[in-house]
Amino acid sequence: MASVTELYDAIPASILIIDERMHLIGWNRFSRDTINGLSDHEMASVNPLKRVHPDDLPEMIRKARDIIDLDIEETGEFRMYHKSGPPYKWATFRGKRAIIAGQPCVVAVVTEITEIKEVEEQQKKLQEQLLQFQKMELVGQLAGGIAHDFNNALAAIIGNTELALKKLDPSNPVVQNISDIHKLALRSADLTRQLLAFARKQVAMPRVFNLTKEVSDCLHLYQRLIDKNIHLEWHLCDEPIQVKFDPTQLEQILSNLLVNARDAIDGSGCITVRCGSARFEPSDGKTCTPRLSPGDYAKLSVTDNGCGIEASVLPHIYEPFFTTKEVGKGTGLGLSSVYGIVRQNNGHIECHSEPGKGTTFDIWFPLHQEPQQKTGIPADKPQTELKTKAKIMVVEDEPYILKLVQDILESHEFTVFTATDADECLLAAKTYEYRIDLLVTDVILPTMNGIELSRVLQKKNPAMKCLFMSAHAPDNVNGQKKLRVGVDFIQKPFGIEDFLRAIDQVLNSKVEKI
C-alpha cells in the first residue's frame, strides 16, 4: 500500500503547509519540482506568498490569517509565478486549518487554472462583442425608422417649396424665404442619408472599381480639408484592388475619417492612409473576429497621431449622435454612417486607439473577382416629352405627399387618381375599369403593400407600369421583388425634376412584370 507521502506526491497540484509565520513547512513533489524548481533543502526557506502577484497579495494574507485565527475554510483565485519569475499564472486555492506539532497551520491545495481563465476571458470578450453588435443593430433599426419618418416629412417640404418657387415671380420678397426653407430641407435630407447609412438602408449604386485608384483620386481632393500644418500621406499598393460598392460611399468614408483625424490633432501632425489586400485562411488566427470570414479582402486604413480615444469611449463611437466634440462642432453621425456603409457592403471596421498615441481605423471589404466595369454611371438623359395623356393612379398613406404628387402630375396635365391605401385603390381601379397606365405607389401601405397591390392590378391590366416610392433603400423595403433605382424605384425625399424624370423613364420603358 502506498504511503501518505507517495499519495501526496502523485497529486498533479501543489500541496502546501504554512505555519502562522507564513513559512513553508510542508510540500509535495509537484510544488517542489513544478512550482518552485528547488531542492528539499532549499524549500525550507521559501516564503510562498512572495510568488503571489502584488495586487492579489493583501487578500491572500487576509485569507491565510482568517484560516489560522478564525478556523474557517477559505477558497479563492490569485496570480502567481513559477520557479524563477513572471509571467504570472492564474491559480485557485482551497485552504483549511490543521494543528501540526501543536501549532495551527494552513493546509492548502493550489491548482493552476490559467487556460480556464483565458477561455473565460475570451468568452467574456465575445459576449461583449455580441451585446455591442445587438445594441448597434437595435440602434440601427431606430435610426432607420426615424430617418424613414423624417424623409416623408422632408419629401413634402422639398416638393411644396419647389412648387411654390415655380409659381412665384422671382421678384416676390417671399421667394428668398422659401428658397432658404428649401436649402435647409435639402441639408436635413443629407443628415437622414447619414442615418440611413448607419442603418444600412441607404440607396446605393454599386459598381466595380479599383479601390487604389479611387482612394488616390479622393485624397488629392481631400487635401483641402486638412490644415496646412497637418501632413497627409498615403501608401497605396501598386496592383489594382477591385471592390464592388458605391464610389460615393467611399467618399463618405474617407471624408468622415479624415475630418475626425484632423480634429484629433492639436497643432502639427500627420495623417496616413494605407490601402492594400489581405487574405484570411480558415486556420488564420486573425479570423477570430466574427465579422471576417476566410477569403480575400481589400484593406483601407486611416491613422492619425492625434489625441487618441479613451477606452471608455471606444464602445460608443459608432452610435448615432454620440460625439466628443464641442457643441456645434459635430453632428455625431460621421462614424455611425461609416459603420453603416461598411456593414451594408459586407465589410468590417475596427478602431485601435490609446490616449495620446493616436488612432487607426482599419476597414476590410471583400475583393471582387470579376473584371472591372468599363462604363461608369450614365449621366442623366435629357427629359423627353412626357406622355401627358397617361392615366396615373397614386397610392400614398401620407396625405401631404399624396397631395404633392397629385399637384406635380396635374400641373403637367396627367389624369390623376388618388388613394390612401390598397383597398381604396382597388375600389377606384375597378370603378375606372382598370384603365390605368401607371401605378405610383409607396411600398409600405397599411393593409396591402405596394408590391402586392401592383401584382393584383397587373392581373387585371397587364400593360400597367409601376413606379415605387419609399423613404428606405429598395433592398430594405420588401423582399418580394428587387426594386431598382432609375428603373422602377425613387427614394424620398425627391425633387420635382427627379420625380418627373422617373415618371418619364417608366412610361417610356417596357412593362416590368412583378
Side-chain angles (χ1 to χ4, degrees):
M1 179 180 293
S3 66
V4 173
T5 300
E6 289 174 329
L7 287 174
Y8 286 163
D9 285 343
I11 296 174
S14 182
I15 299 178
L16 306 173
I17 301 176
I18 305 170
D19 65 16
E20 58 184 346
R21 295 175 300 166
M22 300 297 118
H23 289 171
L24 188 64
I25 62 174
W27 55 85
N28 68 341
R29 181 185 299 166
F30 187 91
S31 177
R32 181 193 67 199
D33 298 342
T34 304
I35 304 300
N36 292 278
L38 303 173
S39 65
D40 283 328
H41 175 72
E42 292 170 320
M43 286 289 290
S45 62
V46 169
N47 180 347
L49 292 177
K50 287 186 177 180
R51 294 191 176 278
V52 178
H53 192 285
D55 293 345
D56 301 332
L57 184 58
E59 182 68 8
M60 291 299 295
I61 293 175
R62 184 193 66 77
K63 288 178 181 290
R65 294 308 324 173
D66 286 349
I67 292 172
I68 292 175
D69 298 338
L70 304 178
D71 192 15
I72 59 175
E73 188 174 315
E74 287 278 10
T75 60
E77 295 179 354
F78 67 102
R79 288 160 291 178
M80 62 178 290
Y81 64 81
H82 294 183
K83 297 183 179 179
S84 60
Y88 288 93
K89 299 183 178 182
W90 279 99
T92 181
F93 90 97
R94 188 181 188 91
K96 191 174 182 179
R97 179 179 173 180
I99 304 297
I100 299 176
Q103 299 296 323
C105 299
V106 176
V107 178
V109 178
V110 179
T111 305
E112 186 188 341
I113 57 168
T114 301
E115 291 185 2
I116 296 174
K117 293 293 289 186
E118 288 176 348
V119 170
E120 289 177 350
E121 186 65 24
Q122 183 66 14
Q123 289 177 334
K124 180 181 178 182
K125 289 181 180 179
L126 290 174
Q127 182 68 19
E128 289 175 351
Q129 289 177 356
L130 176 61
L131 291 174
Q132 182 66 12
F133 176 72
Q134 291 173 335
K135 175 183 177 182
M136 297 295 283
E137 287 293 301
L138 290 173
V139 174
Q141 292 177 15
L142 175 62
I146 292 173
H148 175 273
D149 293 341
F150 196 36
N151 270 344
N152 274 328
L154 289 173
I157 296 171
I158 292 172
N160 279 295
T161 53
E162 289 184 5
L163 280 178
L165 290 171
K166 286 179 179 294
K167 295 176 182 178
L168 289 172
D169 188 291
S171 61
N172 193 310
V174 302
V175 166
Q176 185 59 51
N177 300 98
I178 297 175
S179 295
D180 290 343
I181 294 172
H182 184 256
K183 291 176 183 177
L184 289 172
L186 291 176
R187 188 183 303 173
S188 299
D190 289 336
L191 291 177
T192 60
R193 272 192 285 273
Q194 292 185 63
L195 275 176
L196 288 171
F198 171 77
R200 304 196 298 281
K201 295 179 179 180
Q202 183 186 31
V203 171
M205 301 289 285
R207 65 180 177 90
V208 179
F209 62 90
N210 180 355
L211 181 65
T212 304
K213 182 180 183 303
E214 204 75 25
V215 170
S216 179
D217 292 343
C218 288
L219 291 178
H220 281 98
L221 295 174
Y222 288 145
Q223 279 188 312
R224 71 186 67 178
L225 291 174
I226 310 302
D227 297 337
K228 292 182 179 179
N229 57 337
I230 298 176
H231 178 59
L232 175 63
E233 63 181 46
W234 53 91
H235 304 279
L236 310 179
C237 61
D238 296 330
E239 72 272 11
I241 299 176
Q242 290 192 158
V243 293
K244 184 178 182 180
F245 61 97
D246 192 333
T248 60
Q249 292 183 326
L250 175 63
E251 295 174 8
Q252 286 182 268
I253 290 173
L254 285 172
S255 61
N256 280 307
L257 293 184
L258 290 173
V259 167
N260 281 353
R262 179 200 66 189
D263 294 344
I265 297 174
D266 185 13
S268 61
C270 179
I271 301 173
T272 305
V273 179
R274 289 182 172 84
C275 183
S277 58
R279 179 173 178 78
F280 298 130
E281 302 292 347
S283 59
D284 196 334
K286 293 180 182 178
T287 57
C288 59
T289 168
R291 298 290 142 227
L292 279 178
S293 303
D296 295 312
Y297 291 85
K299 183 180 179 182
L300 175 65
S301 300
V302 177
T303 301
D304 67 71
N305 60 352
C307 61
I309 303 173
E310 297 285 345
S312 60
V313 173
L314 276 174
H316 307 286
I317 59 175
Y318 302 120
E319 296 174 8
F321 306 114
F322 179 86
T323 179
T324 57
K325 297 179 182 179
E326 299 176 20
V327 175
K329 290 192 175 182
T331 63
L333 289 174
L335 287 179
S336 64
S337 63
V338 170
Y339 174 89
I341 290 170
V342 173
R343 295 292 298 119
Q344 184 182 29
N345 291 282
N346 301 313
H348 176 64
I349 182 170
E350 288 183 358
C351 177
H352 308 277
S353 183
E354 290 184 45
K357 295 184 179 181
T359 302
T360 295
F361 282 93
D362 292 323
I363 300 174
W364 290 267
F365 289 111
L367 278 182
H368 189 78
Q369 305 297 339
E370 297 177 8
Q372 183 174 350
Q373 296 172 355
K374 295 182 179 180
T375 57
I377 300 174
D380 291 335
K381 67 170 186 175
Q383 183 176 318
T384 58
E385 184 179 351
L386 291 170
K387 294 182 178 180
T388 53
K389 293 183 180 180
K391 297 180 177 64
I392 300 178
M393 170 69 74
V394 182
V395 189
E396 170 61 65
D397 59 331
E398 291 287 342
Y400 296 109
I401 298 178
L402 180 63
K403 180 65 167 60
L404 169 67
V405 172
Q406 182 180 7
D407 288 346
I408 294 173
L409 293 174
E410 287 183 343
S411 68
H412 285 77
E413 300 180 358
F414 286 104
T415 301
V416 182
F417 312 123
T418 62
T420 57
D421 57 34
D423 293 339
E424 188 177 331
C425 171
L426 292 173
L427 181 61
K430 184 177 181 180
T431 302
Y432 301 123
E433 299 179 350
Y434 301 100
R435 290 196 294 268
I436 299 170
D437 299 302
L438 173 63
L439 171 69
V440 178
T441 178
D442 191 29
V443 177
I444 308 301
L445 295 172
T447 55
M448 178 190 299
N449 68 49
I451 305 290
E452 295 168 340
L453 173 62
S454 65
R455 287 190 176 125
V456 172
L457 290 176
Q458 280 191 335
K459 287 181 180 178
K460 299 291 186 178
N461 179 9
M464 185 192 74
K465 298 172 182 178
C466 304
L467 176 64
F468 299 96
M469 306 180 294
S470 178
H472 280 326
D475 288 344
N476 295 276
V477 292
N478 196 281
Q480 298 173 323
K481 172 181 165 53
K482 180 71 173 180
L483 301 177
R484 292 169 293 171
V485 179
V487 177
D488 59 359
F489 178 84
I490 186 169
Q491 187 183 25
K492 305 171 186 174
F494 45 76
I496 292 177
E497 292 303 321
D498 291 334
F499 179 68
L500 290 174
R501 189 178 296 111
I503 292 289
D504 177 54
Q505 176 77 19
V506 175
L507 287 175
N508 286 284
S509 64
K510 295 180 180 179
V511 176
E512 287 280 334
K513 294 297 182 181
I514 308 300

